Amino acid sequence: MADFLRDAEIPERCFIAALLGPDSEARTGDRKRTNLLAVASQCQALIPNRNVDLGLATLHRSTAALHLAAVKKEYHVAVVGATGAVGAEFFRVLERRNLPVASIRALASEKSAGKTVEFRGQRVAVEELGENSFDKIDIAFFSAGGEISRKFVPIARKAGTIVIDNSSTFRMDLDVPLVIPEINGRDVKQHRGLIANPNCTTAVALMAIYPLHRAFGVRRVFAASYQAVSGSGQRAIDELKEQVAATMQDRRSPVQVYPYQIAFNVLPHVDIFLEGGYTKEEMKMQSEGRKIMHLPEFRASVTCVRVPVYRAHSVAVNAEFEKKVSVEQAREVLAKAPGLELVDEPQKNRYPMPLTVAGKDNCEVGRVRLDCAFENGLAFWVSGDQLLKGAALNAVQIAELM
Ligand SMILES: NC(=O)c1ccc[n+]([C@@H]2O[C@H](COP(=O)([O-])OP(=O)(O)OC[C@H]3O[C@@H](n4cnc5c(N)ncnc54)[C@H](OP(=O)(O)O)[C@@H]3O)[C@@H](O)[C@H]2O)c1
């Protein structure tokens, strides 16, 4: 078997794709070899291919598929939406994190082809996204909107690329893990070439809700979000800047991204309105929260509000629990939660704010108090950089788990 493996010359991407989705025809590669490799890995064989180290791999059969945790030494990475607000963060996050990157490809629309982005002190040329963009790419981070994901994620998967998608397109698909590493990192192992990154407001709120749920059992939450304009991309950042400047100079400036001026205003409107009156964004905390926390009975009634803040979302949460809670216990739980910092000294005016959390990996929670309307309830305030924990950082953390 070891000889077979040494002579097999199976491209590593096909090998991984085959093992990740042996039941999917387009991605199986060579099924016979897949099975042989599966047997071989159970015998602790070492794959001779360049970057795959099967010595550390674990393999287990499930009814659906064979899953392989192949520990790669270096990845060829693509960022789809490289010139956007999230895309720019990907390059910075990848520079400072541990994911071993062998090469990086920057992909965007036709209008950005020829621009450059910086990675580790080198200029990387932006290429137009196309059907061949995923040749020899191991991992692709998608952040170019739902329509681009719908069209190009299947193309990338077919090429053997593992996709981590920031859009909402596939989040609720049953065979697509939706992952916040601090909460359900284990779900990554179920992937079949596609993992979804959660909604940014949901991600920030769950960073505080989930540890409290583990301790006290969350029943339902009422929440209101205070969402930064960078959540709507680079155009919204530019529009707020322009509107602020225009207002200071007593001139009018065009309103393009939102239905109304966002400078010096707040809009109780994020995403499209659904039947029933909630917006799509507002319903994500319940639907995505259920999937991420593995808690189908979780209920969330949310009002999402856009505020004239450049970066970092905040959420005011009122949560009801199964068990009795105290502020001291809750603070203890929150202080120990991974990826979260307790900033809760109201007497010293210390609480989380967008300005203090922007650019930080950790989310912050504060203003923790007993809820005066719920029996076993807590009120608290959580802030987090949505371009990081709600997008690029979370996606790279997912890749690090693979
Ligand atoms: N912003 C956030 O906080 C946040 C958080 C979580 C998830 N997300 C999701 O991430 C995605 C991107 O968000 P963003 O805020 O970074 O938006 P953005 O600043 O508007 O950037 C959009 C990116 O998509 C690229 N793009 C647009 N049309 C394209 C096409 N036809 N072909 C290839 N690339 C194309 C753009 O390239 P050009 O510059 O060439 O047009 C740009 O790089 C969205 O799905 C969003 O829902 C965003």
Side-chain angles (χ1 to χ4, degrees):
M1 183 56 68
D3 286 347
F4 164 76
L5 288 168
R6 208 163 296 119
D7 299 339
E9 288 182 13
I10 303 167
E12 75 210 37
R13 288 174 314 102
C14 295
F15 163 73
I16 288 177
L19 283 164
L20 292 170
D23 55 340
S24 141
E25 200 149 302
R27 299 168 47 236
T28 48
D30 184 330
R31 182 73 171 269
K32 204 164 115 204
R33 283 181 182 174
T34 301
N35 290 339
L36 284 168
L37 288 166
V39 174
S41 76
Q42 284 165 344
C43 301
Q44 292 286 301
L46 284 174
I47 189 94
N49 274 2
R50 297 170 303 281
N51 310 1
V52 180
D53 175 2
L54 256 187
L56 295 175
T58 57
L59 187 79
H60 36 116
R61 274 176 193 280
S62 75
T63 49
L66 285 169
H67 298 280
L68 177 78
V71 180
K72 291 204 62 186
K73 289 176 186 144
E74 289 204 307
Y75 294 100
H76 299 282
V77 168
V79 176
V80 181
T83 50
V86 175
E89 274 323 307
F90 268 118
F91 289 90
R92 289 193 272 270
V93 171
L94 284 166
E95 275 179 343
R96 66 184 164 79
R97 298 282 304 189
N98 295 325
L99 190 77
V101 176
S103 70
I104 197 155
R105 188 172 289 168
L107 299 162
S109 76
E110 189 183 0
K111 82 171 184 337
S112 297
K115 287 184 184 169
T116 57
V117 291
E118 202 174 303
F119 185 65
R120 293 180 184 155
Q122 307 280 326
R123 304 306 296 171
V124 179
V126 178
E127 299 168 36
E128 182 185 354
L129 175 65
E131 307 237 333
N132 298 322
S133 295
F134 302 98
D135 289 352
K136 299 192 172 61
I137 295 295
D138 299 305
I139 301 176
F141 296 104
F142 271 69
S143 65
E147 287 316 305
I148 296 297
S149 289
R150 195 177 304 285
K151 179 169 176 198
F152 284 95
V153 166
I155 292 171
R157 291 175 77 185
K158 206 166 172 182
T161 302
I162 298 173
V163 174
I164 303 174
D165 183 33
N166 269 292
S167 82
S168 59
T169 310
F170 305 103
R171 281 183 195 148
M172 298 312 293
D173 289 8
L174 288 178
D175 61 347
V176 177
L178 176 65
V179 176
I180 297 177
E182 291 86 348
I183 299 176
N184 63 332
R186 281 185 185 182
D187 290 356
V188 166
K189 299 291 178 212
Q190 309 296 323
H191 83 84
R192 295 166 167 211
L194 171 60
I195 302 157
N197 215 43
N199 166 261
C200 45
T201 310
T202 301
V204 169
L206 290 187
M207 288 299 289
I209 292 171
Y210 181 71
L212 293 170
H213 162 63
R214 294 250 307 175
F216 310 111
V218 72
R219 255 195 203 138
R220 54 181 177 158
V221 304
F222 294 90
S225 72
Y226 299 67
Q227 298 185 217
V229 294
S230 53
S232 315
Q234 192 54 49
R235 280 179 63 232
I237 301 171
D238 297 342
E239 184 156 311
L240 175 56
K241 278 186 189 157
E242 170 52 26
Q243 287 176 357
V244 169
T247 308
M248 300 316 254
Q249 294 159 10
D250 260 345
R251 56 181 175 82
R252 293 181 73 81
S253 90
V255 169
Q256 284 164 342
V257 177
Y258 303 115
Y260 300 97
Q261 173 177 315
I262 183 65
F264 309 100
N265 201 4
V266 295
L267 307 177
H269 177 185
V270 179
D271 210 336
I272 55 168
F273 286 100
L274 303 171
E275 237 176 84
Y278 283 98
T279 67
K280 205 169 164 196
E281 179 91 350
E282 288 164 351
M283 292 313 297
K284 287 173 186 169
M285 196 177 300
Q286 177 168 286
S287 54
E288 295 185 20
R290 287 176 175 181
K291 183 167 176 176
I292 294 164
M293 295 194 288
H294 296 193
L295 193 63
E297 58 281 8
F298 175 66
R299 296 176 70 186
S301 174
V302 183
T303 301
C304 286
V305 182
R306 186 75 62 190
V307 295
V309 161
Y310 284 111
R311 186 165 172 153
H313 289 355
S314 301
V315 191
V317 183
N318 301 77
E320 184 187 46
F321 299 94
E322 305 277 349
K323 296 184 190 162
K324 201 166 172 51
V325 288
S326 74
V327 170
E328 292 68 32
Q329 286 171 318
R331 282 202 178 122
E332 203 176 312
V333 165
L334 292 167
K336 287 184 191 153
L340 189 69
E341 286 169 36
L342 180 68
V343 180
D344 197 18
E345 293 179 284
Q347 303 314 325
K348 295 183 184 166
N349 296 338
R350 287 198 71 237
Y351 30 71
M353 292 181 293
L355 278 182
T356 47
V357 90
K360 272 183 71 170
D361 284 356
N362 285 346
C363 296
E364 292 182 354
V365 62
R367 298 291 325 277
V368 183
R369 58 210 189 270
L370 282 183
D371 190 284
C372 64
F374 282 143
E375 204 54 55
N376 295 323
L378 287 172
F380 51 92
W381 169 263
V382 52
S383 298
D385 187 325
Q386 95 291 344
L387 290 172
L388 291 174
K389 192 58 198 165
L393 170 67
N394 196 72
V396 172
Q397 285 178 308
I398 289 172
E400 288 168 352
L401 290 180
M402 292 191 313

